[in-house]
Amino acid sequence: MSDTLAPPRETRPAATPPPAGRFRKPNWNALLVEGRALIALAIIVVIFASLSPNFLDPSNLILMTRHVAMNAILAIGMLMVILNGGIDLSVGSTVGVTGVIAGYLLQGWDMPLTQLVAYPPVWVVIAASVLIGALVGWVNGVLVSKLNVAPFIATLGMLYVARGIALLITNGETFTKLQGEEGLGNTGFITALASAPLGIPMPVWFMVAFAVVFSLLLNRTAFGRWLYATGGNERAAELSGVPVKRVQTIVYVLSGLCAATVGLLLTADLPAATPRAGEFYELNAIAAVVIGGAALSGGRGTIRGTLIGAFVIGFLVDGLVLVGVSVFWQQVIKGAVIILAVAVDQLQQSLQKRRALRRVAAATNRPGAPRPA
Amino acid sequence: MSDTLAPPRETRPAATPPPAGRFRKPNWNALLVEGRALIALAIIVVIFASLSPNFLDPSNLILMTRHVAMNAILAIGMLMVILNGGIDLSVGSTVGVTGVIAGYLLQGWDMPLTQLVAYPPVWVVIAASVLIGALVGWVNGVLVSKLNVAPFIATLGMLYVARGIALLITNGETFTKLQGEEGLGNTGFITALASAPLGIPMPVWFMVAFAVVFSLLLNRTAFGRWLYATGGNERAAELSGVPVKRVQTIVYVLSGLCAATVGLLLTADLPAATPRAGEFYELNAIAAVVIGGAALSGGRGTIRGTLIGAFVIGFLVDGLVLVGVSVFWQQVIKGAVIILAVAVDQLQQSLQKRRALRRVAAATNRPGAPRPA
Amino acid sequence: MTQVAERPANAEPDADVVLRAVDITKTYGVTRALKGVNFDVRRGKVTVLFGENGAGKSTLMKILSGVEQPTGGVLELDGEPVVLASTNDAVARGIAIIHQELNLCPNLSVRDNIFIGRELRTRRGDVDYAREARITRELMERLEEPIHPSTLVADLRLGQQQIVEIARALAADARILIMDEPTSALSAAEVEVLFKIIDDLTADGVAIVYISHHLEEAIEVADHAVVFRDGELVADRSAEGLTLPWVVAAMVGREAEYDFTGAAREFGEVALRIEDVRVVDPDAGGRLAVDGVSIDVHAGEIVAVYGLMGAGRTELMEALSGREPIASGRAVLGSTDLAGHSIQERIALGIGLVPEDRQRDGLVQLMTVGQNLSLASLLGAVRRGFVSRKHERGGIDDQIRDVRVKTAGPEALITSLSGGNQQKVVIGKMLLTRPKVLLLDEPTRGIDVGAKGEIFSLLFREAERGLAVLYVTSEIGEALTASHRVVVMSKGRVVREFDPRTCTREEVMAAAGEAGGDVHPKEPDSE
Amino acid sequence: GSSDSGSSSSGSAAAGGSGGGGGTIAVITVDPSNPYWKAEVDTAVAEAKKLGYETTVDAHGNDADKQNQFIDGAISKKVKAIILDPAGADESVGAVKKATDAGIPVFLVNAEIADQGIAKSQIVSNNAQGATLGAQAWVESVGEKGEYVELFGNPTDNNAQVRSDGYTEVISQYPDLKLVQKETANWDRAEGKAKMEIMLRAHPNIVGVVSGNDEMALGAIQALKDAGKLDQVKVLGFDGNQDAANAVKAGEMVATVLQPIVQGTTLAVQQADAFLKDGKTGASTEKQAIDCVLITKDNVDTLDNFVLSE
Ligand SMILES: Nc1ncnc2c1ncn2[C@@H]1O[C@H](COP(=O)(O)OP(=O)(O)OP(=O)(O)O)[C@@H](O)[C@H]1O
Ligand SMILES: Nc1ncnc2c1ncn2[C@@H]1O[C@H](COP(=O)(O)OP(=O)(O)OP(=O)(O)O)[C@@H](O)[C@H]1O
Ligand SMILES: [Mg+2]
Ligand SMILES: [Mg+2]
């Protein structure tokens, strides 16, 4: 892991690497950046724990983690896109449209050209909406990689399109008959996705599974390396024979898959399929990824960091509710934390730089000035 | 790009010309890009004109232009930031907060530590909220330039903070007593900003004024050149003595100023100051800038193009209402148009590339074109 | 030009030719980079391309390696016509290239960069990092460069980065290996190593195409010499009796050797005084890249700073220009201490830097030649708050003439210029600010003799008008022929000064620590 | 969702009462930046304080998932009761059930949920009845013929549907009144104005506007003013917020329909208090529809911030 996941030169803190650095380099910066996110998380936990006795109560932690999970899964998909140097604003809408598809199919799908109504089994329903999610992502991918539309714009457009489609499918209504009927053999959707095996809610299980799978993808496969390469220097990657276009397309498909998963989990959790589900989720996902130390310019970021970022956001939001901060203040604080969490390590860096300089200046009289400890 | 170690991210091949405007030599590609936007606009006009007799009637054009103006002014500010390679997600919230400030002061400002209520004259009110807008922008600028926070994140945080503050100021209320009172000498706010001299609504006058001033700024002043340079290659600009940090800070201040202007115009137009004003305006502004041919990677874009982009968005939205397209379809179409408007010229380019390859294949008298590089 | 033998296009193929370019043309918009070139690559031979900046060398190489598509003409591999639609196509057919400019992913390790796009897999199908690392280590030993496979490329010196580029090409086991300026950032010793490897490869029958502006170097390896001029192949001969004068003549069609040792040397008072300056390595925190350097540069004097890569010269330059802070010591321009002055203020005071990496630090790629030229001196053209087109354009035209930029005009895109001409633009930009002291870091990297001569005569002309010049070079010949004084840096310190008229190459190189086999510090952090 | 069985035990355990005074009541509303819901919140908080409870206020903005999180938060906080303005009749069932399972009584105000027997009481203002009232008053003033347009609330909010249906139910009885366009303005004043301006272009000689709420109506009124058509076009609002009241006074708005939100919210808090004291809400039924009151020039003066002083 440590080989691939390092930031480009410009953004590296001054006080890395130690003398032996050139020869074996555990990846300080990635650790450091994540460390910063961890600190943010720690602070949040400490503050809220001291303000609310219930914060650390296990059932509450499980609860908050369930909320985190949704955003975390989106963030993992978002990380793929951001590593590639892109961004995916359409995930929120994809959550909406996939959830609605699931709800629609569970309600019963009156097939075109026939009087028949089909009640597909749950696995078909799930497969279908996952497929739709992948499709949305694929369209984004093609727009970006083949048509060179700026990711921000391609996915912004898709944000509107997908949301519109979700609304068209439901005609603005909400689907609630999701439990299915024995007779129709389409039961079990909710239990499958909203149960809590071993007391751990399903979304959390999914979060863990996704985290494992995607870190393997990033750190053990050629695709992972290609992804970091395209994010680091696309031209170089292309000249090295990396199928940059395909990599670019795939990351958006992956993001779409993650969004679809969240769409299903959310629908089962409510339980109801509403066309507005997931609005603005993209912002939290992006915030999580960046707080987790990823660079929006691409090529730098880790699953671990992203998860931490998701916990920072999630615990903050829930914590504010828990201690009963006024609605309006919640927004202000959330915004401030996002900025601070990212600004902090920049401050660190400049401080370290200044300290290094002072050390040298101080030691000037000694010839053969200081080497770092 | 072919030979930099870590090239600035490019959404377009290296051989694209610089922003239009410097030497009067026409620069085809920029014109072409704008041309593309113009074509999109033309298509929209033709379609709607044929669907609705009222579309082209002058009073309607004026009306739609007034709607366009708001977004156009925001887009001009956004262009400054995007030319610098940044992005400003906080403009919508800035619109809200500045509008609320104006409303608050017009209602009468009960001064702290005193029982007194101050009724500042209109010009003070306007100055105050413009100042606030600049302040918000300045904070963004400092976060980005001094603390190296990614623009997306800095302004995303500010999006929440500013909105929260707007809500805190009004405590959720809407200010409607904006006409002031003769006795207090604070009348004229609405007439100043919502009247229509010579039959042209105030917002349109402002749009024109801003367009003129900012194109002069971009094309005739050193700052303009510096802005394009920092967007094109910050390191090179810095070594050439361009005060890159200052330029970076200023663009966000300019964006804040534009947002404040819109905040005031919107408040006068309603006439009411609501804390939710301007939500999600940033998306339309960004879309306008990019449809107008600017590159989100910075260094490329023009006022002219941005205005065209704003008209594309505005005419589309109003046109859809005018011909009475269903709400849900409106979203789908809007998204599709944003994507298409940008995708089109990319298609052109890739076609040209493929043709080149086919020529080669022919030259080597091999049947069929090889897959493009 | 008598000995230049024109080669007929329809010469009967000879057995050794593995790759042949037949009547290749390439046009970029208006510029015709290649005008019907016939070019052969021979098995087990080193074919060297000579040619000025913009002659079309890289363009042809990009076509041979599938990066660019020719506008016209055919490629024949073993007599068979082929279309190289992509670099993969080329690699699949055994053609590998070392690009003139670095193409590495700074955020990846050396190992990853070498194996990107052709990963070694385990039976489980995932990447076999261990084996890749082992091969990387072997390559690095072969190149005598002690770089650990998991080092970040971003942490490498330019020179080391170029070594990685070479290693990547070697790892491809190509039968045709193209090297476009592989040594522009390498030390003499590293070049020697490369040449050993080239010998081994040719012995194994690998065909090599070699491009370099270090002419002596190129002549040394050549089996076969080809000369380009203005997109045409003007000479094609075997390497026996190949001499520097012939090459230069064929390249520029005239004698263009330069030697300024005789230049006037009445200097003014000290223009730039550098006193015991220390600079912290921006990347390796705390480590001193510059460790107590003191140099005086007088008005009208041209001082060359010679040294190996990693000597810390770039850091010294960047510190003087204001890009990096000076940790301790003083730099005094005339009578003003530069401490606390921004880059902009320093340029106004009269000191500016022509950076080492023109693409990363020198040019705004989206802008035109004119805009790049005027960027640093723009305020000078401001009248009543606006940039006066007249004044700006005036300065630009003068500069294009003075610096002899080969361009369609001020409105041409800077990216449409060849490397050398781009460099001239960067220098012209700084001269337009009317500096008292001009700093240049590797001003002639990847630039042809003709252009080098022009650039130095330009510098000496300015020097006679009182300009003080401090420039970094890694070319010993250049340091000795184009300076009033040579300062040798090593490991961040000034080790000795020489008078180019009296000293010998050997002395200088020895002082730089370049003599003998092991010249590159095994411990990079002792640089 | 069953996934909270884990937390329910701890929840009910805590229902015994932690927190100061009479404990805490969680007030979860839609969007306090809208005067209507602001009144709801202010009333709830004031009434609760009067009865000696702490309060926390959250706003879900009709996002069912957010609502879920707030309910979860309330459960973790072990509040004693929840006053909820639900985010959608269907989406909210799960959330309410969750709280009830956790032993926290939920009292619904303003909007209902699809199921009964979960919440302790559902105190809703009778939107359908209110819409009919408003529509009738509006028809009277426009006369029984002409073209009119409708400003529709947020399409995914079922109140928008209920009110729209109420309007059509009445107006459809007058065949000469033609609905020529129906646009959504998402409850928002600025959007209401923009949409109205355009619709005026498409249909210059409309005689009336029916609006899903006051904010959109006020936007429309401003648009009509600018177009100088206010005297020709009759506007109907809904909610009865203060700006609307002023508009009615000024004769710019034909009528608005007062949702007795203050009355309803007061009731809800009182019933919560009663339930916490002796396990009974005191109301005969769970679902209690409070009729809306028509506000016209005649009775507008008695209206003050959602309260009619008889
Ligand atoms: N991408 C491009 N767009 C437009 N013109 C180009 C491009 N690349 C090269 N050229 C033009 O083609 C000609 C040949 O360029 P090329 O880089 O092959 O020269 P070169 O011999 O490699 O010069 P150098 O020795 O400086 O590398 C130059 O005149 C250059 O301006
Ligand atoms: N491209 C680069 N990437 C990362 N670090 C670099 C780079 N170039 C230089 N450095 C850092 O600066 C130090 C000095 O190396 P550098 O090669 O710049 O010295 P130099 O004397 O300027 O050599 P040259 O000027 O010939 O490149 C190196 O130890 C390295 O840490
Ligand atoms: Mg070249
Ligand atoms: Mg250097």
Side-chain angles (χ1 to χ4, degrees), chain C residues 28 31 33 52-59 100 213 415-420 446:
Chain C
Y28 293 101
T31 32
E52 292 195 278
N53 298 122
K57 305 183 294 296
S58 297
T59 304
Q100 175 171 18
H213 287 295
T415 45
S416 69
L417 267 56
S418 74

Side-chain angles (χ1 to χ4, degrees), chain C residues 57-74:
Chain C
K57 305 183 294 296
S58 297
T59 304
L60 181 59
M61 294 308 113
K62 286 176 188 160
I63 289 168
L64 293 186
S65 57
V67 177
E68 298 266 7
Q69 301 304 321
T71 315
V74 189

